[in-house]
Amino acid sequence: MWLSFVVWALVAAASLWLDGARALLALPDPDDAMRLVQVRDLLAGQGWFDLVQHRVNPPDGTPMHWSRLVDAPIAAMIVGLRPLLGPEAAERWAVLLWPLVPALLLLPSAGLIGNRLAGAPGAVLTILAAGLAVPLVRHFVPGRIDHHNVQMALSMALVAALVFIPRRPAAYAAGAASALSIAVGLETLPYVALGGVAVMAGWWRAPAERSEAVLAYLSAFAAAATLALAATVAPSLWLVPACDMISTVYLAPLWAALGIAAAARAGGLDRGRAGVALVVSAMALAALASVALLNPACLAGPYAEADPRVLSLWMNHLAEVRSAVTLFRAEPVAAVSVFAAPIAALAVAPVLLALPSSRDREAAAIVVGALALATMLALLQVRTLPFAAMFAAAPLAAAAALVIARRWRLRLDPIWGYAAAACLANPFAITLAAAVAAEPVLGSQAQHEAHAGERLCTRRAEYRVLAGLPPGTVAGLISFGSYILAETPHRVVAAPYHRNRDGVLDTIAAFTAKPDESRAILARRGVDYLAFCTTSTELDHLIGPDADTLVNRLKRGDPPAWLEPVADPSDAATRVYRLRRG
């Protein structure tokens, strides 16, 4: 759609103007820094199938569960820009531009959803609403080169394909989008599962009409997922049933379901609801049995194999895994504003679910279901809020289009009505209005400064002193390990990834122990330098402020004698020390 490209171009220009300079000063998130490291290593000659981050947790390194499907286009963009801009500028522009590329899939997908629900006016309003939501969710702004924007775009494409089933091209698209989603990362697994439920529920309602679509969906899903595994995972790992990345654990249920569906059609079991119910039940049992046989731990979820100590000491205390209740207690204005759009979209859902055609109601149920699932997950862990905000665009815009078109209790000219809806019925406007309304009641200066300390230590300038030292092994707080890798030639004991078990546990032990015990741990790990962010609160949940620990000594500016300070700029939040030997 031409409108999608126009909106994308405007959003891209605004994003580069508002956030471009900021991204050059500091990458927004540790995952962005690690993605840049992974792309640099690939361009420097690290093998395509070698997903080990060799500078994390030396000497063994840490195997990453990230996909080359995201590394490849970023690397290609850098290579393509090098002849025009030179190596350094090419990388900078790729970091700025790449986050906006997935929106080229997201916006047309949103338009298709809006068109399906409310015709051309719905498409226009949904594209505008999704375009305004792009900067809102902050995963598409310059610098966000991790995989979450790709996942959101694929999830929107999946929903767009699902609302047009039983058309076979839509079924193939839904299967392919599902496969690519789990290949990029398993954060989208709930939405992929919801898509499968929607396809099977539609098959049960209309067996004769949907059989071909079901086979097309399962064929595309299984084939694309298998190709993704073969293309991005080393052959030696093809049969390893990993829980946290695409593996046989996820492929076996797909092929089993496809085989059962094909056999059912050949045997005529797909001609009635009872037969379809039996077939779908057999698929579900086969999926559970295959996972239980391959790796029963995966039945508990993608992080089932993570060390419980890593979860309890570190991962469960990250800001992104907070519940909505915890977020509201800490930052009430933020909590009210970020949940406003999804809740508003759920509130207008009855307008869509009351559409006269049963097929239209089915499409609306899929769209509302994706939104409801993302919102429910966000109540448990706020990291899914960007999905909820993005999914909110279509229900808000489509409902507004239907209301204006029908002029329910409104005496507005449709043109002015659509203009008003474009301004008001979108996630950005609702979020902003909620924030403005909540600030006088719930706001406080403390909450505005809640993350300032962490952000200080993500600035590229913080790592210049460390970068100038001879290459060695650095011990630092876990959250900043990725930045050290991106900005210096050093190795790090820990980076914020669950597979880095030993590095995470040793880092926690070293910083929360008494100084003499810390020295022994750091010596065992062969640490040359210690980099400490004085404004971070990463380990505060593990120790009291008065405990005699290394982290408290460093915060007070009273390092033990075996740490030799390295000259830092006076305004630096990160202090660098050299470990004295002997």
Side-chain angles (χ1 to χ4, degrees), residues 1 4 105-130 152-165 167 352 355 359-371 387 390-399 401-402:
M1 295 181 185
S4 298
L105 172 62
L106 184 142
L107 294 179
S109 298
L112 287 172
I113 297 170
N115 185 71
R116 179 68 183 82
L117 296 177
V124 171
L125 290 184
T126 304
I127 290 171
L128 293 174
M152 274 185 273
L154 287 169
S155 297
M156 190 72 83
L158 171 59
V159 174
L162 289 171
V163 299
F164 283 98
I165 287 179
R167 300 178 188 177
L352 304 176
L355 290 169
R359 185 164 294 179
D360 290 343
R361 290 195 298 272
E362 177 188 355
I366 291 170
V367 176
V368 173
L371 169 63
F387 285 87
M390 194 59 71
F391 284 143
L396 287 169
L402 290 172

Side-chain angles (χ1 to χ4, degrees), residues 282-378:
M283 289 179 179
L285 290 173
L288 290 173
S290 63
V291 175
L293 287 171
L294 290 169
N295 190 346
C298 297
L299 292 172
Y303 292 111
E305 293 183 304
D307 191 298
R309 295 170 296 172
V310 172
L311 296 175
S312 64
L313 294 175
W314 171 62
M315 283 189 68
N316 290 343
H317 300 276
L318 296 175
E320 64 181 18
V321 302
R322 289 181 294 178
S323 69
V325 173
T326 303
L327 177 64
F328 183 82
R329 289 172 178 168
E331 301 175 63
V333 172
V336 169
S337 59
V338 295
F339 274 98
I343 291 174
L346 290 173
V348 302
V351 174
L352 304 176
L353 298 175
L355 290 169
S357 164
S358 62
R359 185 164 294 179
D360 290 343
R361 290 195 298 272
E362 177 188 355
I366 291 170
V367 176
V368 173
L371 169 63
L373 176 60
T375 305
M376 180 189 70
L377 293 174

